[in-house]
Amino acid sequence: MLTRKQIQLLEFIQHRMARDGVPPSFDEMKDALDLRSKSGIHRLVTALEERGFIRRLPHRARALEIVRLPDSLANPKPGKDAAGGFQPRVISNERPAAARPRASVDVVESAAVELPVMGRIAAGVPIEAISEISHHIAVPGSMLSGRDSHYALEVKGDSMIEAGINDGDVVVIREQNTADNGDIIVALVEGHEATLKRYRRRGAMIALEAANPAYETRILPEESVRVQGRLVGLIRSY
């Protein structure tokens, strides 16, 4: 399954190739998806290539080739502009307080609570945070903290495996915008990517640490990292 940003990028490439005969440049992709840097485009292109949707051709400028399209693009809805009028819709990763279902729970009175699963979170290379509810999941009330708001996310990737968090697990997150050193948090990076990592403050910098030696620690300016919640529980299906 592709993320929203991956679908947006693939659609943008498709329409630009139909209109101009060549793929857009990385700068054009960055501007179209309203990203701050080309590094985000490189990650999206790599993900699309790994999933078999595009191919990068060696020794050629703008060397991208569309191999296949997801059903949503292969069978466009009537009225869609196929001549290049596509305008990417940027999805905000912030879940508006008024629109987001919240679980305000008295754990003494409730043995199990239905939490919204807000999508997938990367335990690996950061991916787009998904703000729409995919389904609900029942969690023990003992995982929750008083009347704080909580939500759940499905984990994708293995960068937190040595912390006992595996690909496919569901993590329970308490909403908060601060963290202590050593907390495992949901971090929003540069306003558009979300990842599950261990938090460390190093002066004016924030370290997002993996729990897998195959992944490097990311060191970012504090203004590039926004804490969106702290891990308080984990659910695993066998």
Side-chain angles (χ1 to χ4, degrees):
M1 180 181 295
L2 297 181
T3 67
R4 290 175 181 270
K5 277 281 192 264
Q6 290 165 0
I7 291 174
Q8 287 175 344
L9 180 59
L10 190 59
E11 189 172 11
F12 180 63
I13 294 171
Q14 176 198 19
H15 283 282
R16 285 297 300 273
M17 290 184 70
R19 190 188 74 182
D20 300 336
V22 295
S25 68
F26 275 40
D27 281 324
E28 290 170 333
M29 296 180 204
K30 174 178 70 69
D31 293 340
L33 270 69
D34 199 24
L35 301 183
R36 293 186 178 183
S37 68
K38 287 191 288 187
S39 62
I41 293 297
H42 281 283
R43 285 190 287 271
L44 291 171
V45 168
T46 298
L48 289 171
E49 184 177 32
E50 291 173 349
R51 289 162 174 77
F53 289 94
I54 64 174
R55 179 186 300 122
R56 280 188 272 200
L57 306 175
H59 312 303
R60 288 176 55 185
R62 300 192 182 189
L64 293 178
E65 179 183 40
I66 295 179
V67 178
R68 63 188 179 95
L69 294 171
D71 292 341
S72 61
L73 298 185
N75 300 295
K77 294 181 181 180
K80 187 161 186 70
D81 181 3
F86 168 69
Q87 293 294 328
R89 182 167 58 94
V90 178
I91 305 299
S92 170
N93 293 313
E94 295 188 22
R95 292 169 295 277
R100 178 170 59 242
R102 295 174 179 269
S104 296
V105 183
D106 186 341
V107 298
V108 174
E109 298 176 1
S110 179
V113 176
E114 291 280 328
L115 288 186
V117 179
M118 304 301 294
R120 308 180 81 184
I121 183 76
V125 178
I127 60 174
E128 179 191 17
I130 302 176
S131 59
E132 294 182 358
I133 298 172
S134 59
H135 59 286
H136 286 75
I137 190 169
V139 304
S142 58
M143 282 188 181
L144 310 181
S145 305
R147 297 186 178 275
D148 292 334
S149 295
H150 298 75
Y151 59 94
L153 294 164
E154 182 184 351
V155 173
K156 177 177 173 61
D158 62 355
S159 76
M160 298 302 291
I161 194 167
E162 292 189 2
I165 303 170
N166 297 334
D167 184 56
D169 286 348
V170 173
V171 290
V172 178
I173 304 297
R174 183 176 71 193
E175 288 194 48
Q176 58 185 68
N177 56 18
T178 60
D180 296 325
N181 283 340
D183 285 348
I184 295 176
I185 65 163
V186 173
L188 188 66
V189 179
E190 296 182 345
H192 61 268
E193 296 174 329
T195 189
L196 188 72
K197 291 290 183 293
R198 195 176 298 279
Y199 174 95
R200 305 279 183 193
R201 174 174 286 279
R202 301 181 181 177
M205 307 295 284
I206 302 297
L208 298 178
E209 298 179 350
N212 182 335
Y215 294 85
E216 294 183 357
T217 296
R218 297 186 71 188
I219 310 294
L220 298 160
E222 60 180 342
E223 61 269 19
S224 297
V225 179
R226 188 186 310 164
V227 177
Q228 291 200 311
R230 180 174 69 84
L231 175 73
V232 296
L234 182 145
I235 299 170
R236 179 170 298 157
S237 299
Y238 292 94

